[in-house]
Amino acid sequence: MTTTTLLRAGLALALALPAAAFAADVPQSFTATYQVLKDGGPLGEATITLKPAGSGQFEYSNETKGTSGLAAMLGANVSETSRFTWAGQVPQAVSYHYEMQAAIKSKTRNLTVQGRNVQVQDNKKSFSYPAVPGMVERNTLPLALGVALRSGRKEVALPVAVKQEVENQTFKVSATEKVSVPAGSFDAVRVDRTDADRGFNAWYVPSKYPVPVKLAQKDGGDLTMELVKFEGK
């Protein structure tokens, strides 16, 4: 899919109906708690929160704290905060802030959509590239997939704003599998990324939750998130 095709599709989505028209079809607020594992062992806990932020925007945050092993010893904490607007059923990016703090290392990244451009500040490096309507970023990507699955989609293509460009990422439902996590046992659909071998797998129960009950990612380490508790709409 070309950038031009994505631009037209995203623009059509944004103009077809105002975001408020889908207010009943998209989540408005919730809190989800996860346990985080690395290589199968406990690493920390994550809390994901969605809430209205005013002016038609929503805030989606992911706070991860190291509670075991080396992560606890180093005081490693990661904070991700996104602002977005619902463009139809897509959490269209407005801004994204990433911060990682540890005793021996820190890192920040800020992404802001300014008109037709995306501005990124990654530590001391700056990047700029064209924005695409209907574009999400890495923090809100699992939410975008969950909402798409809830509407019956089996394959999902999303423009995702990363550090230096917009990536055209594709995902599909590959199987239905029994998954056991602290929140319970579920017959979940497994979603795999199909445009690149990035080791991304997520298990969803679309009828119950807009976020995955389990997520596994090998890019940057063998990390797994398992749902402990979900509260909200």
Side-chain angles (χ1 to χ4, degrees), residues 34-35 37 175-192 201-206 208-209 211-216 224-228:
Y34 291 83
Q35 67 175 10
L37 309 174
T176 299
E177 299 175 345
K178 178 73 74 174
V179 174
S180 293
V181 297
S185 295
F186 305 95
D187 291 318
V189 293
R190 192 188 81 223
V191 176
D192 301 328
N201 311 101
W203 290 260
Y204 286 85
V205 185
K208 290 180 67 70
Y209 310 119
V211 288
V213 295
K214 180 179 178 180
L215 188 151
T224 304
M225 296 175 60
E226 297 182 344
L227 184 67
V228 175

Side-chain angles (χ1 to χ4, degrees), residues 75-153:
N77 297 311
V78 175
S79 172
E80 297 179 89
T81 303
S82 303
R83 287 288 184 102
F84 69 84
T85 58
W86 285 113
Q89 293 181 309
V90 176
Q92 181 172 256
V94 173
S95 65
Y96 166 70
H97 174 72
Y98 170 92
E99 184 172 356
M100 188 272 286
Q101 295 289 343
I104 61 174
K105 184 179 180 181
S106 63
K107 180 178 180 180
T108 61
R109 179 182 297 177
N110 288 292
L111 181 153
T112 306
V113 180
Q114 299 179 352
R116 298 182 179 181
N117 292 305
V118 178
Q119 304 293 330
V120 177
Q121 187 70 36
D122 187 71
N123 287 335
K124 296 182 179 181
K125 295 181 179 180
S126 299
F127 305 94
S128 179
Y129 52 86
V132 175
M135 176 183 70
V136 301
E137 32 75 22
R138 72 178 194 176
N139 190 35
T140 54
L141 174 61
L143 174 64
L145 290 174
V147 174
L149 292 171
R150 191 167 66 176
S151 67
R153 302 271 296 279

Side-chain angles (χ1 to χ4, degrees), residues 13-23 86-88:
L13 176 66
L15 294 179
L17 284 172
F22 287 93
W86 285 113

Side-chain angles (χ1 to χ4, degrees), residues 1-4 6-7 90 93 109 111 118 120 129-139 141 144-145 156-171 193-200 217 219:
M1 186 178 290
T2 66
T3 300
T4 301
L6 278 168
L7 180 62
V90 176
R109 179 182 297 177
L111 181 153
V118 178
V120 177
Y129 52 86
V132 175
M135 176 183 70
V136 301
E137 32 75 22
R138 72 178 194 176
N139 190 35
L141 174 61
L145 290 174
V156 183
L158 289 166
V160 183
V162 294
K163 184 166 68 173
Q164 300 183 51
E165 61 183 351
V166 176
E167 287 186 352
N168 304 326
Q169 299 185 10
T170 58
F171 305 82
R193 184 173 171 182
T194 56
D195 64 292
D197 184 13
R198 299 293 179 87
F200 175 95
Q217 184 141 7
D219 187 13

